[in-house]
Amino acid sequence: MPRPQEFDPAKARDAALRLFWRQGYQATSLSELTGAMAISRSSFYGAFVDKRALFCDCLDIFAERTLAWMTRASGAQGPLQSLEHFFLFDPAPKAPGEPSWGCLLINTTLEMASVDEGLCAHASSHLTRIEQQMASTLRDAGYDPKAADDHAGLLMLLLSGVRVAARRTTTPKAQHAQIAAAFRMLEAALARSHAPERPS
């Protein structure tokens, strides 16, 4: 009869997610994982199969939490305001003064692009879902479907740049100014699309 688990798998998985998010997949060793998760190697393999499977689980959890947060924010604020807040919000549970960890999904596509096509594609598929959620939010804001899709693509490019820059020396003030400028352009584009046509 198998022994019952002596740890909380959800808490252990969250600890792994934070470690992967901060360090990346390749730089995180199994000993670091088991230490952060406070479990033995035998418990690790019994509950999570292996490092790669656990990492895929962490990507899935990160994506679901991101999409859920976006949905809640769009219900509590105006559509464009919720998207702008998403760009400004840093959900990483880091220490004060520690550089941003960026986005786990974006980090993974960059790290694994020429290393592991499967992991890269796994992360990329979740980014596609986030882009689709952005397009849906833009449609709620009044964009027609084609414009919503086009602008969601531009927002994903902006998001990638913002999250990568946050891991470097870009100051929060500079990032906020860039994000605010992008959303002013979005609002202007929406206003132009709703403006009545001038008689010829």
Side-chain angles (χ1 to χ4, degrees):
M1 181 176 179
R3 294 176 59 188
Q5 291 180 340
E6 298 175 350
F7 65 95
D8 184 334
K11 289 183 178 179
R13 193 178 286 108
D14 274 348
L17 189 156
R18 291 192 297 271
L19 189 61
F20 282 134
W21 191 358
R22 187 172 70 248
Q23 295 187 174
Y25 178 72
Q26 297 177 94
T28 300
S29 68
L30 182 59
S31 60
E32 286 177 309
L33 275 172
T34 55
M37 299 165 76
I39 60 175
S40 66
R41 287 199 176 207
S42 59
S43 294
F44 176 89
Y45 287 119
F48 304 108
V49 182
D50 58 24
K51 174 183 167 181
R52 195 177 191 279
L54 174 60
F55 186 67
C56 287
D57 286 346
C58 290
L59 292 175
D60 295 343
I61 292 167
F62 186 92
E64 293 306 324
R65 289 177 179 174
T66 300
L67 289 164
W69 186 92
M70 293 175 72
T71 300
R72 289 195 303 271
S74 64
Q77 307 173 62
L80 289 182
Q81 290 82 359
S82 70
L83 283 176
E84 185 170 5
H85 186 59
F86 171 65
F87 274 73
L88 295 171
F89 181 62
D90 184 358
K94 62 187 188 308
E98 183 182 355
S100 173
W101 300 352
C103 167
L104 178 61
L105 301 174
I106 293 171
N107 295 347
T108 301
T109 59
L110 293 173
E111 178 190 3
M112 309 308 293
S114 59
V115 178
D116 188 318
E117 292 184 3
L119 287 180
C120 182
H122 196 102
S124 182
S125 68
H126 287 311
L127 288 173
T128 297
R129 295 173 63 206
I130 291 172
E131 182 175 338
Q132 291 169 346
Q133 178 63 38
M134 288 180 176
S136 176
T137 303
L138 289 172
R139 288 193 294 273
D140 290 341
Y143 285 79
D144 67 63
K146 177 64 166 59
D149 290 343
D150 290 344
H151 283 85
L154 287 173
L155 282 177
M156 281 304 299
L157 290 175
L158 176 64
L159 181 66
S160 298
V162 166
R163 295 297 186 245
V164 170
R167 303 198 67 180
R168 301 187 349 252
T169 56
T170 307
T171 65
K173 183 178 180 180
Q175 290 178 49
H176 292 181
Q178 294 159 2
I179 292 166
F183 276 87
R184 285 197 299 271
M185 288 189 288
L186 278 177
E187 290 171 356
L190 180 59
R192 286 195 301 272
S193 70
H194 288 175
E197 293 186 7
R198 295 182 179 180
S200 57

